[in-house]
Structures are given as structure tokens and as C-alpha cells.
Amino acid sequence: MIKVIHNNSCPKSKAILEYLDENDIKFQIIDIKKDPLSLFELRTLFKKLNKNPSRILRHSKELYKKYFSESESVNDEQALEVIALNPELIQCPILIKGKVAMSGNPLENVKFFIEN
């Protein structure tokens, strides 16, 4: 079963859920705002993504500007702590299948991820 880290206010996230539903693909929703991930869960997620936490932050959010300056590089541990407190900063959707995870954008990548 695929797990989807989802933000209900994100149109891309809603589109992925719609795609999965229309194609009868079983999935479990993890609503990042209602059920934020712990630091341990975030560390595990980023290992599965094989990405640094700073690479999946939503830079356009005012919250990002509150915690990080545009000129400084973001420390991964600091990014994890900020994400744990402000889960809406994470780019959604993220799909998890077993030991692998990927960003749910673009949709073509999601199709490939599901089929393989």
C-alpha cells in the first residue's frame, strides 16, 4: 500500500489523491497538518527520499522567511526541527512505498513510481 503525505490546502496533493482513487490504487493518507511527523519520522522520511530536508521546504511561505534567511544555507537538523513545528513548510504530496519515497510532483513520476 502507498502512503501519501498530504496537505489538504495543496492542489497538487489533492490531484494525486484523485489520481490514485480514480485508478483504484490503495493508499493511506497522512495529513501533515492534522498528524505532523515527529523528528524521528521526519529523519526516516528523508532517508527514504534520499534528499536533504532543506531541499523539500516550501521557500515561498512566510514561515520559511521567519526561520531562514535567503542568503544562508539551511542546516538539515534545523530544517527538521522547523518542519516538525510547522508541517505546512514541507512540499506535498510525498508518496511512500516500502523503503522508498518520492515527491508527488509531477504526476508522470507518480505513475512510474506506482508501476515499479
Side-chain angles (χ1 to χ4, degrees):
M1 177 179 297
I2 293 177
K3 293 181 181 179
V4 181
I5 296 178
H6 170 69
N7 180 341
N8 201 35
S9 63
C10 174
K12 293 175 187 175
S13 197
K14 289 178 183 178
I16 294 300
L17 295 182
E18 197 173 292
Y19 170 80
L20 294 172
D21 196 40
E22 287 173 356
N23 289 279
D24 295 323
I25 299 166
K26 293 182 181 183
F27 61 93
Q28 173 189 354
I29 298 172
I30 301 169
D31 188 320
I32 197 73
K33 286 184 174 179
K34 289 182 183 175
D35 298 311
L37 301 177
S38 68
L39 280 173
F40 176 78
E41 291 169 318
L42 287 169
R43 286 186 189 102
T44 302
L45 173 64
F46 284 100
K47 283 181 184 174
K48 289 180 179 186
L49 281 167
N50 198 25
K51 288 188 179 185
N52 295 339
S54 59
R55 301 265 329 234
I56 204 132
L57 287 170
R58 295 177 65 201
H59 295 253
S60 62
K61 295 294 254 180
E62 285 299 317
L63 272 173
Y64 178 87
K65 295 170 187 163
K66 176 181 174 182
Y67 290 99
F68 307 106
S69 127
E70 292 294 327
S71 60
E72 71 178 309
S73 61
V74 177
N75 170 296
D76 287 342
E77 193 58 32
Q78 181 187 15
L80 287 172
E81 290 172 10
V82 170
I83 292 168
L85 295 173
N86 305 281
E88 62 273 19
L89 279 175
I90 198 168
Q91 291 180 20
C92 287
I94 297 173
L95 285 80
I96 305 168
K97 185 169 69 170
K99 295 182 180 182
V100 181
M102 70 160 285
S103 174
N105 190 21
L107 184 57
E108 292 74 31
N109 289 353
V110 172
K111 292 176 185 177
F112 179 80
F113 181 73
I114 292 167
E115 293 169 4
N116 294 301

